[in-house]
Structures are given as structure tokens and as C-alpha cells.
Amino acid sequence: MAKHGCKKMVFSSSATVYGQPKVIPCVEDFQLSAMNPYGRTKLFLEEIARDIYNADPEWRIILLRYFNPVGAHPSGQIGEDPKGIPNNLMPFIQQVAVGRQPVLNVYGNDYPTKDGTAVRDYIHVVDLADGHISALQKLFKASDIGCTAYNLGTGCGSSVLEMVAAFEKASGKSIPLKFCPRRPGDATAVYASIEKAERELGWKAKYGIEEMCRDQWNWARQNPWGYILPESTD
């Protein structure tokens, strides 16, 4: 990039760099620590980005810390299609709703939260895309960016069971549950402080979990087998 005179970058980071936060919401200047291998990759890459800027201050780098992107394009034509058994909650719920999985595994129902399940900050993928546009606009308008991070979330935490209930309402489907032990590396509750992104990027999430589940179900019912036709799944 530098060879061709491109010293502006938006990096897709993750809220996993906050690890198990001692207080919430998560603020961008918190001490960082990762609890799992995925989070460690994001943390290391953030460090590399900061090193690049420190070595050459002509760089402008924005680190976008995604919280939990879910949903789909409202048209129902673009959505998430993980292979095998999904690792993330919403694709798993989706596959249960369309009959591709028999039951939703809920990992942990003994967390110190309102219903015992883990709490996360879910963000609609359309809001996430808009956050990138805002970041790009800042890269080309401001000269004093340095290497700085922004949270992309709603600022509101929802539990696993709250997300299940919202999806059941959106889809009209009942989601059978199987409670399983906690997974190593899963935090109890993580949600974003959104003040910095709103103040400096002029960005704020527009959609709540109802719209996220509505659009994810619209994608799922139109494309129950994702981008693969059912006859080609054997």
C-alpha cells in the first residue's frame, strides 16, 4: 500500500479485544486483552497497525471494533451462510428455524445475568456497513487521525434468550433449546460505549434486535439452504 502511495486504512477489528471487561460498556481506551485465539489475532493486528503508524505518521488508520454483526440485507438476497454447524448464535438460530439443525445449543445458563445466558451487543449488518462509510469519509476529510479505534455497536446488551425470543416473534417459529456447559473463552457480558463513534464519525446504529431478526428471517425463508440449492447439499 505504501509503495503505491496509499496510506489510509480501515481495519476490521472486533470487540473480542476487550476480553472479559471489568466494567461495561466497553470504552475504546480500555486496557485490551483477548480470551480466545480469534480475539488474539485481532489484538495482534491492531498492535501491528499502531506500529505502522508510529513508524510512519503519514498513515491514517481507523480500527473498527465490531461487536456482534447479525441480520441480512432487507431484500433477502444477501445474508450469512456459514458452512457446517454455525459457531455464532444467529446463524444457528436461523438453521434451527428452517429445519437444518434440530435444536439450538445454548452454551451456559448460569452466568450472572438477568436470565443466566451471556449478553452481547448485536448490530445490524446494514448499520455496520454505514459505519464503514463514515470511517472512510473521516479518513479523507481529517488529517489528524493517527491510528484510532471506534466501537461499532448499539450500546445495548441482549441475552441469548432475548435474541431467541425476538427471532421466534419475527419468524413465527418455535426454537427448541438444549442447555450446554459454558464454552471456554466466552465472556459474561460485552456491549459498546458508542459515544466516540457518534461524536467523531457522526455515526449511530439505527436498527434494534427486532429489525435484525426480521431481516435475518427474510433471508432465511427465501434461502433456507443459503447459497446452495437443496439437491446439491449431499
Side-chain angles (χ1 to χ4, degrees), residues 91-107:
F92 206 144
I93 295 176
Q94 170 189 311
Q95 290 196 8
V96 174
V98 299
R100 291 175 60 180
Q101 301 291 339
V103 64
L104 172 67
N105 293 330
V106 177
Y107 295 100

Side-chain angles (χ1 to χ4, degrees), residues 71-135:
H73 191 273
S75 67
Q77 296 180 8
I78 305 173
E80 188 174 4
D81 182 24
K83 306 303 178 187
I85 298 176
N87 289 319
N88 295 326
L89 175 65
M90 291 302 287
F92 206 144
I93 295 176
Q94 170 189 311
Q95 290 196 8
V96 174
V98 299
R100 291 175 60 180
Q101 301 291 339
V103 64
L104 172 67
N105 293 330
V106 177
Y107 295 100
N109 64 342
D110 59 349
Y111 286 101
T113 60
K114 50 191 165 185
D115 60 22
T117 62
V119 170
R120 296 290 183 270
D121 188 340
Y122 296 92
I123 177 174
H124 199 298
V125 291
V126 172
D127 278 329
L128 193 70
D130 286 341
H132 283 76
I133 293 171
S134 296

Side-chain angles (χ1 to χ4, degrees), residues 25-203:
C26 298
V27 180
E28 286 86 349
D29 61 2
F30 273 9
Q31 182 176 351
L32 305 180
S33 65
M35 295 177 63
N36 55 50
Y38 174 76
R40 285 173 65 80
T41 65
K42 293 298 186 181
L43 188 57
F44 290 163
L45 287 167
E46 282 200 12
E47 288 294 338
I48 291 170
R50 284 185 278 270
D51 287 345
I52 290 171
Y53 169 72
N54 289 331
D56 183 356
E58 289 186 2
W59 278 85
R60 304 177 194 178
I61 303 173
I62 291 179
L63 313 170
L64 295 181
R65 293 177 181 158
Y66 302 179
F67 276 67
N68 291 75
V70 299
H73 191 273
S75 67
Q77 296 180 8
I78 305 173
E80 188 174 4
D81 182 24
K83 306 303 178 187
I85 298 176
N87 289 319
N88 295 326
L89 175 65
M90 291 302 287
F92 206 144
I93 295 176
Q94 170 189 311
Q95 290 196 8
V96 174
V98 299
R100 291 175 60 180
Q101 301 291 339
V103 64
L104 172 67
N105 293 330
V106 177
Y107 295 100
N109 64 342
D110 59 349
Y111 286 101
T113 60
K114 50 191 165 185
D115 60 22
T117 62
V119 170
R120 296 290 183 270
D121 188 340
Y122 296 92
I123 177 174
H124 199 298
V125 291
V126 172
D127 278 329
L128 193 70
D130 286 341
H132 283 76
I133 293 171
S134 296
L136 285 169
Q137 289 172 337
K138 184 174 179 66
L139 277 182
F140 285 92
K141 289 180 179 178
S143 59
D144 58 346
I145 292 172
C147 180
T148 190
Y150 295 96
N151 292 333
L152 293 188
T154 65
C156 300
S158 300
S159 73
V160 171
L161 295 186
E162 286 175 327
M163 295 303 290
V164 170
F167 196 91
E168 288 181 328
K169 181 179 179 180
S171 65
K173 302 286 186 179
S174 178
I175 306 297
L177 307 178
K178 177 184 178 183
F179 290 103
C180 306
R182 299 185 190 186
R183 293 183 301 190
D186 279 353
T188 299
V190 183
Y191 58 88
S193 168
I194 58 174
E195 284 78 9
K196 184 180 178 183
E198 186 173 1
R199 181 178 67 250
E200 298 184 14
L201 298 181
W203 173 89

Side-chain angles (χ1 to χ4, degrees), residues 220-234:
R221 67 181 180 81
Q222 292 187 52
N223 307 275
W225 291 93
Y227 295 106
I228 304 173
L229 295 176
E231 58 268 24
S232 63
T233 59
D234 293 336

